[in-house]
Amino acid sequence: MRQGNLIIKNASQLVTCSAFSAKKGREMSDLQIIEDGTVIITDGVITYVGKDADCPVLSDFPNHKIVDATGKAVLPGFVDSHTHFIFGGYREEEFSWRMRGDSYMSIMERGGGIHNTMTATRKATFDELKEAGRKRLDSMLKLGITTVEGKSGYGMNKETELKQLEVMKALNEEHPVDIVSTFMGAHATPAEYKGREDAFLDYMIKEVMPEVREKDLAECCDIFCEKNVFDIGQSRRYLTAARNLGFKLKIHADEIVTLGGAELAAELKALSADHLLQASDNGIEDLAESGVVATLLPCTAFSLKEHYARGRYMIDSGCAVALATDLNPGSSFTNSIPLLFALACIYMQLSPEEAVAALTINGAAAVGRADKIGSIDVGKQGDLVILEFPSYKFLPYHIGMNIVEKTIKNGVVY
């Protein structure tokens, strides 16, 4: 992957989000902004962060490209820590069904939803999935996303789960955007295992998960812990097996009913618990105490016309909150960072400062990379965005508009 030498000078705001772990509670409001700031990136790594007046003599860096950021805010690259961006087919018809009042779960129970995408993804070739994924990554890069998490889970058999993960591995080697791959074989129960959920989990644990680990195709493992999908006991068994194989853990938790997924995430010390629309007070308290990142997906709630997760309450309770798009073909067919910022601030009552922290350093923590990305700190990857405007506060304020002027990945300008 290309690594560049770059100097960004005269930034009206250098929004560093400085940290090497998730920001919790009130810490999320402290973005550690440097006015009139400079960043120097050498061989793709940040080597200087500070005021223009204090920076080294620029003539000492003859091999560095210089970008003048006068009148512009500079932020860490965005980390979209929850997506399902490798899939076959679309579900536009199901969207219209939901608009007439059909629920997400009712559509899933009659063979739509995840099962619909499973059929299309099983049929899709490696090259078809790769080309579609590449186009989505190109779109992400324009929106300022420099690292994305991608889940499998639309195969639910060995062949297709491996195919999805192999596509992500190939794209990660070729595309500027870094991909953190997550094995999510337990996304639903396929028709061939209907009524035999435990047998399906045995198959995933014994036949598929070890091969994913052996081939080094995923860093994390996830499960859809939900009523009528996989219960707490089943989720604990699956995730424990994953942890024993060396996977980091993530969990779809308490999205549709209050089941105890947040509590389970805290118990297992997962990287993150995601969705959390119905998380209990006790579950939120457990997340805060354990340091598990609460990853909230407001675009999904918006698309499904559901109540939003209690982001304000979670932050006030001391949680580390991340934001992600949940890009997928069913419940959130969008990777819109502008929409994400607007929904988080207007409807979930996050401050602009908290929303920025949630999509940078806390998103990095949600994928286990807060030591490498998510903030503008010396030693981290040179992943940044330059906005068209002088303040980060324009992100939620300029509603629905992409205000990223330049995306910088490993010191290379895109």
Side-chain angles (χ1 to χ4, degrees), residues 304-320:
L304 296 178
K305 296 194 290 187
E306 298 287 350
H307 293 291
Y308 293 90
R310 294 184 289 163
R312 175 77 271 135
Y313 180 83
M314 292 177 188
I315 294 173
D316 291 344
S317 299
C319 284

Side-chain angles (χ1 to χ4, degrees), residues 144-158:
I145 297 169
T146 51
T147 298
V148 64
E149 185 257 16
K151 304 179 191 294
S152 67
Y154 289 133
M156 292 175 274
N157 62 16
K158 181 189 287 188

Side-chain angles (χ1 to χ4, degrees), residues 158 201-211 237:
K158 181 189 287 188
L201 289 180
D202 285 340
Y203 165 66
M204 281 291 152
I205 291 170
K206 296 175 182 178
E207 300 294 329
V208 186
M209 195 182 288
E211 190 160 342
R237 181 164 72 91

Side-chain angles (χ1 to χ4, degrees), residues 79-82 98 255 273-277 294-312 314 321-328 331-350 354-355 358-359:
V79 181
D80 192 350
S81 59
H82 181 130
R98 291 208 311 275
E255 178 182 5
D274 301 20
H275 285 291
L276 302 171
L277 278 67
T295 300
L296 309 185
L297 313 170
C299 295
T300 310
F302 176 75
S303 176
L304 296 178
K305 296 194 290 187
E306 298 287 350
H307 293 291
Y308 293 90
R310 294 184 289 163
R312 175 77 271 135
M314 292 177 188
V321 167
L323 292 169
T325 65
D326 193 20
L327 169 62
N328 74 80
S331 60
S332 181
F333 187 41
T334 181
N335 59 337
S336 174
I337 295 302
L339 177 61
L340 181 66
F341 268 111
L343 295 176
C345 293
I346 297 171
Y347 291 105
M348 296 175 65
Q349 300 181 321
L350 272 67
E354 291 164 344
L359 199 61

Side-chain angles (χ1 to χ4, degrees), residues 181-254:
S181 295
T182 294
F183 169 57
M184 197 180 176
H187 199 183
T189 303
E192 58 265 33
Y193 279 93
K194 185 175 177 60
R196 299 188 297 127
E197 289 80 9
D198 286 318
F200 173 65
L201 289 180
D202 285 340
Y203 165 66
M204 281 291 152
I205 291 170
K206 296 175 182 178
E207 300 294 329
V208 186
M209 195 182 288
E211 190 160 342
V212 173
R213 179 78 283 173
E214 181 182 350
K215 293 183 175 181
D216 194 25
L217 293 176
E219 297 178 36
C220 308
C221 189
D222 197 345
I223 188 170
F224 192 2
C225 180
E226 187 57 69
K227 182 180 179 182
N228 297 327
V229 188
F230 299 108
D231 63 27
I232 293 294
Q234 291 167 330
S235 299
R236 179 185 288 109
R237 181 164 72 91
Y238 176 86
L239 291 175
T240 299
R243 183 175 60 189
N244 290 341
L245 283 176
F247 290 99
K248 300 170 185 176
L249 306 183
K250 299 172 77 69
I251 181 171
H252 283 52
D254 301 321

